[in-house]
Amino acid sequence: MTDLPGQAIHDYFVKNTKKKLFVHDEFGPKVEMPLPVYFRDFYEMPELEQKALKLCTGKVLDIGAGAGSHAIELQNLKFNVTALEISNAACDVMRARGVENVLCDDIFEYSNEKFDTLLLLMNGIGLCGTCEGFIKFLKHAEKLLSPGGQIIFDSCDIAYMYEDLPRPEHYYGEVKCCYEYTRQKTEWFHWLYLDFSIMSMIAIAAGWNVERIAEDENNQYLARLTRRI
Protein backbone atom coordinates (compact mmCIF):
# COMPACT_ATOMS: atom_id res chain seq x y z
CA MET A 1 0.00 0.00 0.00
CA THR A 2 1.23 3.52 -0.81
CA ASP A 3 2.92 4.97 2.26
CA LEU A 4 1.11 8.31 2.46
CA PRO A 5 1.28 8.68 6.28
CA GLY A 6 5.03 8.11 6.23
CA GLN A 7 5.45 10.56 3.37
CA ALA A 8 3.38 13.15 5.26
CA ILE A 9 5.45 12.70 8.43
CA HIS A 10 8.67 12.98 6.41
CA ASP A 11 7.52 16.08 4.52
CA TYR A 12 6.42 17.79 7.72
CA PHE A 13 9.77 17.09 9.40
CA VAL A 14 12.09 17.80 6.46
CA LYS A 15 10.23 20.46 4.50
CA ASN A 16 8.00 21.95 7.22
CA THR A 17 5.15 21.45 4.78
CA LYS A 18 1.66 22.80 5.42
CA LYS A 19 0.05 19.99 3.43
CA LYS A 20 -2.55 18.00 5.34
CA LEU A 21 -3.00 14.29 6.02
CA PHE A 22 -6.61 13.10 6.07
CA VAL A 23 -8.33 9.90 7.17
CA HIS A 24 -11.47 8.65 5.41
CA ASP A 25 -13.74 6.12 7.10
CA GLU A 26 -17.29 4.81 6.97
CA PHE A 27 -18.81 7.47 9.19
CA GLY A 28 -18.83 10.59 7.08
CA PRO A 29 -16.50 13.35 5.82
CA LYS A 30 -12.75 12.93 5.92
CA VAL A 31 -10.97 14.00 9.11
CA GLU A 32 -7.59 15.71 9.34
CA MET A 33 -4.82 13.86 11.18
CA PRO A 34 -2.74 16.80 12.49
CA LEU A 35 0.92 16.07 11.75
CA PRO A 36 2.28 17.85 14.87
CA VAL A 37 0.63 15.06 16.90
CA TYR A 38 3.41 12.72 15.76
CA PHE A 39 6.06 15.07 17.20
CA ARG A 40 4.78 15.71 20.72
CA ASP A 41 7.02 15.70 23.77
CA PHE A 42 5.99 14.05 27.03
CA TYR A 43 4.13 17.07 28.40
CA GLU A 44 2.10 17.46 25.21
CA MET A 45 0.94 13.84 25.28
CA PRO A 46 -2.47 12.92 26.72
CA GLU A 47 -2.51 11.50 30.22
CA LEU A 48 -3.11 7.92 29.03
CA GLU A 49 0.09 8.01 26.98
CA GLN A 50 2.04 9.52 29.87
CA LYS A 51 0.80 6.74 32.14
CA ALA A 52 1.73 4.14 29.53
CA LEU A 53 5.31 5.36 29.33
CA LYS A 54 5.61 5.26 33.11
CA LEU A 55 4.46 1.61 33.10
CA CYS A 56 7.22 0.46 30.74
CA THR A 57 9.81 -1.90 32.15
CA GLY A 58 12.99 -3.50 30.89
CA LYS A 59 13.62 -3.82 27.17
CA VAL A 60 10.85 -2.07 25.20
CA LEU A 61 9.53 -2.56 21.66
CA ASP A 62 7.58 0.52 20.52
CA ILE A 63 5.32 -0.91 17.82
CA GLY A 64 4.03 1.43 15.12
CA ALA A 65 6.43 4.07 16.39
CA GLY A 66 5.54 6.74 13.81
CA ALA A 67 7.94 9.68 14.18
CA GLY A 68 9.43 8.18 17.34
CA SER A 69 8.10 10.50 20.04
CA HIS A 70 7.41 7.74 22.56
CA ALA A 71 10.71 6.01 21.80
CA ILE A 72 12.57 9.30 22.30
CA GLU A 73 10.98 9.83 25.72
CA LEU A 74 11.88 6.29 26.77
CA GLN A 75 15.37 6.69 25.39
CA ASN A 76 15.77 9.87 27.45
CA LEU A 77 14.83 7.82 30.51
CA LYS A 78 17.66 5.39 29.67
CA PHE A 79 15.42 2.55 28.51
CA ASN A 80 16.69 0.04 25.99
CA VAL A 81 13.99 0.79 23.42
CA THR A 82 13.58 -0.33 19.82
CA ALA A 83 11.21 1.63 17.58
CA LEU A 84 9.49 -0.65 15.07
CA GLU A 85 7.73 0.96 12.12
CA ILE A 86 6.67 -0.42 8.75
CA SER A 87 7.14 2.93 6.96
CA ASN A 88 10.63 3.53 5.54
CA ALA A 89 9.98 7.28 5.39
CA ALA A 90 8.95 7.43 9.04
CA CYS A 91 12.00 5.36 9.99
CA ASP A 92 14.22 7.93 8.26
CA VAL A 93 12.58 10.65 10.35
CA MET A 94 13.14 8.71 13.58
CA ARG A 95 16.82 8.25 12.80
CA ALA A 96 17.13 11.96 12.01
CA ARG A 97 15.46 12.78 15.35
CA GLY A 98 18.00 10.68 17.22
CA VAL A 99 16.20 7.40 17.84
CA GLU A 100 19.07 4.97 18.30
CA ASN A 101 17.40 1.63 17.55
CA VAL A 102 15.04 1.81 14.55
CA LEU A 103 13.64 -1.31 12.94
CA CYS A 104 11.72 -1.09 9.66
CA ASP A 105 9.54 -4.19 9.61
CA ASP A 106 6.03 -5.62 9.86
CA ILE A 107 5.34 -6.64 13.46
CA PHE A 108 3.72 -9.87 12.29
CA GLU A 109 6.90 -10.79 10.41
CA TYR A 110 9.32 -9.94 13.23
CA SER A 111 10.43 -12.38 15.95
CA ASN A 112 14.20 -11.96 16.26
CA GLU A 113 14.38 -10.63 19.83
CA LYS A 114 12.66 -10.84 23.20
CA PHE A 115 11.28 -7.82 25.03
CA ASP A 116 9.90 -7.04 28.46
CA THR A 117 7.33 -4.52 27.19
CA LEU A 118 5.43 -4.33 23.91
CA LEU A 119 4.08 -0.78 23.58
CA LEU A 120 1.33 0.30 21.15
CA LEU A 121 0.04 3.84 21.57
CA MET A 122 -2.26 6.20 19.65
CA ASN A 123 -4.53 3.15 19.23
CA GLY A 124 -1.60 1.27 17.75
CA ILE A 125 -3.44 -1.98 18.45
CA GLY A 126 -5.60 -0.91 15.52
CA LEU A 127 -3.01 -2.41 13.19
CA CYS A 128 -4.56 -5.79 14.01
CA GLY A 129 -7.42 -4.75 11.74
CA THR A 130 -10.01 -7.21 13.05
CA CYS A 131 -10.74 -9.25 16.16
CA GLU A 132 -9.17 -12.23 14.39
CA GLY A 133 -6.11 -10.09 13.81
CA PHE A 134 -5.99 -9.26 17.53
CA ILE A 135 -6.03 -12.98 18.34
CA LYS A 136 -3.18 -13.45 15.85
CA PHE A 137 -1.25 -10.58 17.47
CA LEU A 138 -1.61 -12.07 20.97
CA LYS A 139 -0.29 -15.37 19.71
CA HIS A 140 2.64 -13.64 18.02
CA ALA A 141 3.34 -11.60 21.16
CA GLU A 142 4.16 -14.82 23.00
CA LYS A 143 7.22 -15.16 20.74
CA LEU A 144 8.32 -11.58 21.43
CA LEU A 145 7.91 -11.36 25.21
CA SER A 146 10.38 -12.45 27.83
CA PRO A 147 8.95 -14.36 30.84
CA GLY A 148 6.83 -11.96 32.89
CA GLY A 149 6.62 -9.47 30.02
CA GLN A 150 3.70 -7.15 29.30
CA ILE A 151 1.70 -5.59 26.48
CA ILE A 152 0.63 -1.97 27.03
CA PHE A 153 -1.79 -0.27 24.66
CA ASP A 154 -4.65 2.18 24.43
CA SER A 155 -7.87 1.82 22.47
CA CYS A 156 -11.44 3.05 22.62
CA ASP A 157 -15.09 2.09 22.36
CA ILE A 158 -16.60 3.69 19.24
CA ALA A 159 -20.18 2.56 19.88
CA TYR A 160 -21.15 6.24 20.02
CA MET A 161 -20.35 6.51 16.30
CA TYR A 162 -23.37 4.30 15.57
CA GLU A 163 -25.97 6.36 17.42
CA ASP A 164 -27.54 7.34 14.08
CA LEU A 165 -26.28 4.38 12.05
CA PRO A 166 -27.19 0.70 12.00
CA ARG A 167 -24.63 -1.65 13.56
CA PRO A 168 -22.75 -3.73 10.97
CA GLU A 169 -22.97 -7.52 10.92
CA HIS A 170 -19.30 -7.77 11.91
CA TYR A 171 -17.84 -6.32 15.14
CA TYR A 172 -18.50 -2.58 15.04
CA GLY A 173 -14.91 -1.70 15.99
CA GLU A 174 -13.57 -3.16 12.73
CA VAL A 175 -13.55 0.00 10.61
CA LYS A 176 -12.55 0.45 6.97
CA CYS A 177 -10.26 3.45 6.45
CA CYS A 178 -7.96 5.04 3.93
CA TYR A 179 -5.48 7.93 4.01
CA GLU A 180 -5.42 10.95 1.73
CA TYR A 181 -2.38 13.16 1.19
CA THR A 182 -1.48 15.48 -1.72
CA ARG A 183 -4.70 14.40 -3.49
CA GLN A 184 -3.62 10.77 -3.43
CA LYS A 185 -5.39 8.01 -1.53
CA THR A 186 -4.25 4.69 -0.15
CA GLU A 187 -6.18 1.51 -0.62
CA TRP A 188 -8.91 0.90 1.95
CA PHE A 189 -7.85 -1.16 4.96
CA HIS A 190 -9.29 -2.31 8.27
CA TRP A 191 -8.37 -0.55 11.51
CA LEU A 192 -9.47 -1.96 14.87
CA TYR A 193 -11.04 -0.12 17.79
CA LEU A 194 -11.53 -2.52 20.71
CA ASP A 195 -14.00 -1.79 23.47
CA PHE A 196 -12.67 -2.99 26.81
CA SER A 197 -15.27 -5.73 27.27
CA ILE A 198 -14.62 -7.45 23.92
CA MET A 199 -10.88 -6.95 24.25
CA SER A 200 -10.91 -8.57 27.70
CA MET A 201 -13.02 -11.50 26.54
CA ILE A 202 -10.65 -12.24 23.65
CA ALA A 203 -7.47 -11.79 25.69
CA ILE A 204 -8.64 -13.87 28.67
CA ALA A 205 -9.74 -16.68 26.35
CA ALA A 206 -6.25 -16.57 24.80
CA GLY A 207 -4.59 -16.97 28.20
CA TRP A 208 -3.80 -13.41 29.22
CA ASN A 209 -4.41 -11.43 32.40
CA VAL A 210 -6.09 -8.09 31.68
CA GLU A 211 -5.88 -4.83 33.62
CA ARG A 212 -7.63 -1.56 32.85
CA ILE A 213 -5.06 0.96 34.07
CA ALA A 214 -7.00 4.13 33.28
CA GLU A 215 -9.76 5.60 31.13
CA ASP A 216 -10.79 9.07 30.05
CA GLU A 217 -13.92 11.00 29.16
CA ASN A 218 -13.57 10.12 25.46
CA ASN A 219 -14.25 6.37 25.80
CA GLN A 220 -10.51 5.67 25.62
CA TYR A 221 -8.72 3.32 28.00
CA LEU A 222 -5.22 2.14 28.78
CA ALA A 223 -4.72 -1.61 29.23
CA ARG A 224 -1.93 -3.88 30.37
CA LEU A 225 -1.86 -7.57 29.42
CA THR A 226 0.40 -10.20 30.99
CA ARG A 227 0.60 -13.85 30.08
CA ARG A 228 -1.01 -16.28 32.54
CA ILE A 229 1.42 -18.91 33.77
Side-chain angles (χ1 to χ4, degrees), residues 128-164:
C128 296
T130 63
C131 290
E132 286 296 321
F134 181 53
I135 294 169
K136 178 183 175 183
F137 172 78
L138 293 177
K139 185 67 176 176
H140 186 59
E142 296 177 29
K143 303 175 186 177
L144 294 169
L145 282 175
S146 300
Q150 61 180 350
I151 307 172
I152 297 172
F153 64 91
D154 56 1
S155 193
C156 61
D157 185 350
I158 62 167
Y160 68 93
M161 298 293 289
Y162 292 91
E163 289 179 356
D164 299 317

Coordinates of all heavy atoms in Angstrom, one line a residue, residues 128-164:
C128 N -4.0 -4.4 14.1 CA -4.6 -5.8 14.0 C -5.7 -5.9 13.0 O -6.0 -7.0 12.5 CB -5.0 -6.3 15.4 SG -3.7 -6.4 16.6
G129 N -6.4 -4.8 12.8 CA -7.4 -4.7 11.7 C -8.8 -5.3 12.1 O -9.8 -4.7 11.9
T130 N -8.8 -6.5 12.7 CA -10.0 -7.2 13.0 C -9.8 -7.9 14.4 O -8.7 -8.0 14.9 CB -10.4 -8.3 12.0 OG1 -9.3 -9.2 11.9 CG2 -10.6 -7.6 10.6
C131 N -10.9 -8.5 14.9 CA -10.7 -9.3 16.2 C -9.9 -10.5 15.9 O -9.1 -10.9 16.8 CB -12.1 -9.6 16.7 SG -13.1 -8.3 17.3
E132 N -10.0 -11.1 14.7 CA -9.2 -12.2 14.4 C -7.7 -11.8 14.3 O -6.8 -12.5 14.8 CB -9.6 -12.8 13.0 CG -10.9 -13.6 13.1 CD -10.8 -14.9 14.0 OE1 -9.7 -15.5 14.0 OE2 -11.7 -15.2 14.7
G133 N -7.5 -10.6 13.8 CA -6.1 -10.1 13.8 C -5.6 -9.9 15.2 O -4.4 -10.0 15.4
F134 N -6.4 -9.4 16.1 CA -6.0 -9.3 17.5 C -5.6 -10.6 18.1 O -4.6 -10.7 18.9 CB -7.1 -8.6 18.3 CG -6.8 -8.3 19.8 CD1 -5.6 -7.6 20.1 CD2 -7.6 -8.8 20.8 CE1 -5.4 -7.4 21.5 CE2 -7.3 -8.6 22.1 CZ -6.2 -7.9 22.5
I135 N -6.4 -11.6 17.9 CA -6.0 -13.0 18.3 C -4.7 -13.4 17.8 O -3.8 -13.9 18.5 CB -7.1 -14.0 17.9 CG1 -8.4 -13.7 18.7 CG2 -6.7 -15.4 18.3 CD1 -9.6 -14.4 18.1
K136 N -4.5 -13.1 16.5 CA -3.2 -13.4 15.9 C -2.0 -12.7 16.5 O -1.0 -13.2 16.8 CB -3.3 -13.1 14.4 CG -2.0 -13.3 13.6 CD -2.2 -12.9 12.1 CE -0.8 -13.0 11.4 NZ -1.0 -12.5 10.0
F137 N -2.3 -11.4 16.8 CA -1.3 -10.6 17.5 C -0.9 -11.1 18.8 O 0.3 -11.2 19.2 CB -1.7 -9.1 17.6 CG -0.8 -8.3 18.4 CD1 0.4 -7.8 17.9 CD2 -1.1 -8.0 19.7 CE1 1.3 -7.0 18.6 CE2 -0.2 -7.2 20.5 CZ 1.0 -6.7 19.9
L138 N -1.9 -11.5 19.6 CA -1.6 -12.1 21.0 C -0.8 -13.3 20.9 O 0.1 -13.6 21.7 CB -2.9 -12.3 21.7 CG -3.7 -11.1 22.1 CD1 -5.0 -11.5 22.7 CD2 -3.0 -10.2 23.0
K139 N -1.1 -14.2 19.9 CA -0.3 -15.4 19.7 C 1.1 -15.0 19.3 O 2.1 -15.6 19.8 CB -0.9 -16.2 18.6 CG -0.3 -17.6 18.4 CD -0.5 -18.5 19.6 CE 0.1 -19.9 19.4 NZ 0.0 -20.7 20.6
H140 N 1.3 -14.1 18.4 CA 2.6 -13.6 18.0 C 3.4 -13.0 19.2 O 4.6 -13.2 19.3 CB 2.5 -12.7 16.8 CG 3.8 -12.3 16.2 ND1 4.7 -13.2 15.7 CD2 4.4 -11.1 16.1 CE1 5.8 -12.6 15.2 NE2 5.6 -11.3 15.5
A141 N 2.7 -12.3 20.0 CA 3.3 -11.6 21.2 C 4.0 -12.6 22.1 O 5.0 -12.2 22.7 CB 2.3 -10.8 21.9
E142 N 3.5 -13.8 22.2 CA 4.2 -14.8 23.0 C 5.6 -15.1 22.6 O 6.5 -15.4 23.4 CB 3.4 -16.1 23.0 CG 1.9 -16.0 23.5 CD 1.2 -17.3 23.4 OE1 1.8 -18.4 23.4 OE2 -0.1 -17.3 23.3
K143 N 5.9 -14.9 21.3 CA 7.2 -15.2 20.7 C 8.1 -14.0 21.1 O 9.4 -14.1 21.1 CB 7.2 -15.4 19.2 CG 6.3 -16.5 18.7 CD 6.3 -16.5 17.2 CE 5.3 -17.6 16.7 NZ 5.2 -17.5 15.2
L144 N 7.5 -12.8 21.3 CA 8.3 -11.6 21.4 C 8.6 -11.2 22.9 O 9.5 -10.4 23.2 CB 7.6 -10.4 20.8 CG 7.4 -10.5 19.3 CD1 6.5 -9.4 18.8 CD2 8.8 -10.3 18.6
L145 N 7.8 -11.8 23.8 CA 7.9 -11.4 25.2 C 8.8 -12.3 26.0 O 8.7 -13.5 25.9 CB 6.5 -11.3 25.9 CG 5.7 -10.1 25.5 CD1 4.3 -10.2 26.2 CD2 6.3 -8.8 26.0
S146 N 9.6 -11.7 26.8 CA 10.4 -12.5 27.8 C 9.4 -12.9 28.9 O 8.3 -12.4 29.1 CB 11.5 -11.6 28.4 OG 12.4 -11.1 27.5
P147 N 9.8 -13.9 29.7 CA 8.9 -14.4 30.8 C 8.6 -13.2 31.7 O 9.5 -12.4 32.1 CB 9.8 -15.4 31.6 CG 10.7 -15.9 30.5 CD 11.0 -14.8 29.6
G148 N 7.3 -13.1 32.1 CA 6.8 -12.0 32.9 C 6.6 -10.7 32.1 O 6.3 -9.6 32.8
G149 N 6.8 -10.7 30.8 CA 6.6 -9.5 30.0 C 5.2 -9.0 29.9 O 4.2 -9.7 30.3
Q150 N 5.0 -7.8 29.3 CA 3.7 -7.1 29.3 C 3.5 -6.5 28.0 O 4.4 -6.1 27.2 CB 3.6 -6.1 30.4 CG 4.6 -5.0 30.3 CD 4.6 -3.9 31.4 OE1 3.6 -3.9 32.1 NE2 5.5 -3.0 31.4
I151 N 2.1 -6.4 27.6 CA 1.7 -5.6 26.5 C 0.9 -4.4 27.0 O 0.0 -4.5 27.9 CB 0.8 -6.4 25.6 CG1 1.4 -7.7 25.1 CG2 0.4 -5.5 24.3 CD1 0.4 -8.6 24.4
I152 N 1.3 -3.2 26.6 CA 0.6 -2.0 27.0 C 0.1 -1.3 25.8 O 0.8 -1.0 24.8 CB 1.6 -1.0 27.8 CG1 2.1 -1.7 29.1 CG2 0.9 0.3 28.1 CD1 3.2 -1.0 29.8
F153 N -1.2 -1.0 25.8 CA -1.8 -0.3 24.7 C -3.0 0.5 25.1 O -3.6 0.3 26.1 CB -2.2 -1.3 23.5 CG -3.2 -2.3 23.9 CD1 -4.6 -2.0 23.7 CD2 -2.9 -3.5 24.5 CE1 -5.6 -2.9 24.0 CE2 -3.9 -4.4 24.8 CZ -5.2 -4.1 24.6
D154 N -3.4 1.5 24.2 CA -4.7 2.2 24.4 C -5.6 1.9 23.3 O -5.1 1.6 22.2 CB -4.4 3.7 24.6 CG -3.7 4.3 23.4 OD1 -3.3 3.6 22.5 OD2 -3.4 5.5 23.4
S155 N -6.9 2.0 23.5 CA -7.9 1.8 22.5 C -9.1 2.5 23.0 O -9.1 3.2 24.0 CB -8.1 0.4 22.1 OG -8.9 0.3 20.9
C156 N -10.2 2.4 22.2 CA -11.4 3.1 22.6 C -12.7 2.3 22.1 O -12.6 1.5 21.2 CB -11.4 4.5 22.2 SG -11.4 4.7 20.4
D157 N -13.8 2.6 22.7 CA -15.1 2.1 22.4 C -15.8 3.1 21.4 O -16.0 4.2 21.9 CB -15.9 1.9 23.6 CG -17.3 1.2 23.3 OD1 -17.6 1.1 22.1 OD2 -17.9 0.8 24.3
I158 N -16.0 2.7 20.2 CA -16.6 3.7 19.2 C -18.1 3.4 19.0 O -18.6 3.8 18.0 CB -15.8 3.7 17.9 CG1 -15.9 2.3 17.2 CG2 -14.4 4.1 18.1 CD1 -15.5 2.3 15.8
A159 N -18.7 2.8 20.0 CA -20.2 2.6 19.9 C -20.9 3.9 19.6 O -22.0 3.8 18.9 CB -20.7 1.9 21.1
Y160 N -20.5 5.0 20.2 CA -21.1 6.2 20.0 C -21.2 6.7 18.6 O -22.1 7.5 18.2 CB -20.4 7.3 20.8 CG -19.1 7.7 20.4 CD1 -18.9 8.7 19.5 CD2 -17.9 7.0 20.8 CE1 -17.6 9.1 19.0 CE2 -16.7 7.3 20.3 CZ -16.5 8.3 19.4 OH -15.3 8.6 19.0
M161 N -20.3 6.2 17.7 CA -20.3 6.5 16.3 C -21.6 5.9 15.6 O -21.9 6.4 14.5 CB -19.1 6.0 15.6 CG -17.8 6.6 16.2 SD -17.6 8.4 15.8 CE -17.3 8.4 14.1
Y162 N -22.2 5.0 16.2 CA -23.4 4.3 15.6 C -24.7 4.8 16.2 O -25.7 4.1 16.0 CB -23.2 2.8 15.7 CG -22.1 2.2 14.9 CD1 -20.8 2.1 15.5 CD2 -22.2 1.8 13.6 CE1 -19.7 1.6 14.8 CE2 -21.2 1.3 12.9 CZ -19.9 1.2 13.5 OH -18.9 0.7 12.8
E163 N -24.7 5.9 16.8 CA -26.0 6.4 17.4 C -27.0 6.6 16.3 O -28.2 6.4 16.6 CB -25.7 7.6 18.2 CG -24.9 7.4 19.5 CD -24.7 8.7 20.3 OE1 -25.0 9.8 19.7 OE2 -24.1 8.6 21.4
D164 N -26.6 7.1 15.2 CA -27.5 7.3 14.1 C -27.3 6.4 12.9 O -27.8 6.7 11.8 CB -27.4 8.8 13.6 CG -27.7 9.8 14.7 OD1 -28.7 9.6 15.4 OD2 -27.0 10.7 14.9

